[in-house]
Amino acid sequence: MENFICVQCGTQFAESANPPSSCPICEDERQFVRYGGQAWTTLERLAADHHNRLEDEAPKLLGIGTEPEFAIGQRALLLQSPGGNLLWDCISLLDDETIAEVNERGGIRAIAVSHPHFYSSMIEWSERFDAQIFLHAADRKWVMRKSPRIQFWEGTTLPLWDSVTLINCGGHFEGGTVLHWPAASRGRGSKGALLTGDIITVVQDRRYVSFMRSYPNLIPLGPPAIRRIVERIEPFSFDQIYGGWWQANVLCDAKAAVTRSADRYLRAIASAENYG
Ligand SMILES: [Zn+2]
Ligand SMILES: [Zn+2]
């Protein structure tokens, strides 16, 4: 029996003797099945020719991503906090070197994941670090490997320790979650940070962000979803955003970047005159 991992999206599945017949996450309209067809690996095979790169994205915020790039190429973030470390989002590969490096920084108290594209091998990580997992209940059906370590939360916010808060923004996924970290300490007079995965996605022009139902298939969101994202983060103060990939960060004035990006998006989908 093996916990097979989907090569396209990096999701690890419940134990089975043979690879699953399909990956519901890749077959969903927000993802895609690769040109070569569905393919599977295992943690052991992945570890044979991949390793993890660990690099600070900000003080007390360690990026962890796999090299060579695997699946959708995201990096997780280990947020180091006095009350316990939190792993924000997750990746498929977990090996002994990574476990040792993370333990050196105090281990992991809990894992919180923005949405199903980053569920990856979260159960593997939670078991190795004896950590709880927080997922929004609206995305429950996308969990491919169940575990009693998963705590499904409901509603619009979930306060954790050290004033860290999970915020349900919806949009890309109904349960789409971002994390507010008021103690983020990059720069003088830091006002805090949002960790967003691709619920609020940092684009190439890092003065802006964007919001999509599907990134690979270019399916936009409608005005109510955009307005809801802006409303949900409005009560929180922050000036940095750390997105789901290396260096996909807005390092100053990030709250204003969200507002101007939402305004531009709403203009673009409302008016063929300006953007047609
Ligand atoms: Zn998949
Ligand atoms: Zn996604």
Side-chain angles (χ1 to χ4, degrees):
M1 299 286 271
E2 298 263 24
N3 291 105
F4 287 96
I5 295 173
C6 170
V7 166
Q8 180 63 53
C9 72
T11 305
Q12 191 189 49
F13 281 61
E15 239 185 6
S16 59
N18 297 304
S21 57
S22 65
C23 172
I25 292 175
C26 286
E27 292 196 346
D28 175 50
E29 70 171 8
R30 283 164 282 203
Q31 263 287 44
F32 60 98
V33 176
R34 60 212 278 273
Y35 186 74
Q38 189 63 61
W40 302 91
T41 187
T42 61
L43 197 49
E44 198 181 357
R45 272 191 272 152
L46 186 60
D49 51 11
H50 290 73
H51 68 279
N52 286 336
R53 166 181 155 209
L54 284 74
E55 198 175 302
D56 287 318
E57 286 273 31
K60 302 288 178 195
L61 194 65
L62 178 74
I64 310 174
T66 298
E67 288 185 337
E69 193 175 296
F70 176 69
I72 60 174
Q74 80 273 29
R75 56 109 179 80
L77 290 166
L78 183 73
L79 188 165
Q80 295 150 79
S81 195
N85 295 346
L86 184 134
L87 184 70
W88 171 250
D89 281 334
C90 200
I91 57 172
S92 301
L93 177 60
L94 179 60
D95 58 14
D96 290 341
E97 285 94 325
T98 310
I99 293 168
E101 293 267 12
V102 169
N103 277 334
E104 238 170 66
R105 292 165 173 86
I108 298 172
R109 174 171 166 183
I111 301 169
V113 186
S114 59
H115 73 297
H117 293 150
F118 294 173
Y119 286 175
S120 58
S121 298
M122 62 182 174
I123 305 302
E124 210 73 50
W125 285 73
S126 75
E127 288 178 354
R128 296 302 288 266
F129 291 99
D130 192 21
Q132 193 177 13
I133 302 175
F134 296 108
L135 301 181
H136 197 276
D139 291 337
R140 185 191 288 261
K141 73 166 179 170
W142 298 106
V143 174
M144 297 296 138
R145 183 179 172 192
K146 295 185 168 48
S147 164
R149 291 178 182 273
I150 301 175
Q151 184 185 321
F152 291 101
W153 64 279
E154 295 179 2
T156 56
T157 57
L158 179 71
L160 300 176
W161 60 94
D162 296 339
S163 302
V164 168
T165 306
L166 300 181
I167 307 162
N168 172 236
C169 287
H172 180 44
F173 270 80
E174 198 50 36
T177 298
V178 302
L179 177 147
H180 182 239
W181 181 33
S185 58
R186 176 190 281 273
R188 282 165 71 91
S190 166
K191 294 194 187 98
L194 278 191
L195 279 47
T196 62
D198 61 1
I199 300 308
I200 297 172
T201 205
V202 178
V203 295
Q204 300 290 332
D205 172 353
R206 285 173 293 160
R207 294 168 301 169
Y208 284 85
V209 297
S210 196
F211 326 86
M212 295 285 270
R213 174 165 171 81
S214 169
Y215 296 92
N217 301 324
L218 304 175
I219 309 172
L221 289 169
I226 302 298
R227 290 196 193 102
R228 182 169 65 163
I229 292 168
V230 174
E231 277 165 25
R232 292 281 166 90
I233 61 165
E234 179 47 37
F236 298 89
S237 163
F238 62 94
D239 57 7
Q240 305 141 63
I241 288 180
Y242 296 91
W245 286 264
W246 290 111
Q247 274 100 46
N249 310 319
V250 181
L251 295 178
C252 64
D253 210 19
K255 194 164 182 175
V258 175
T259 308
R260 68 173 163 262
S261 303
D263 289 346
R264 183 174 75 172
Y265 197 107
L266 290 168
R267 278 202 310 279
I269 57 177
S271 163
E273 259 170 57
N274 289 343
Y275 286 85

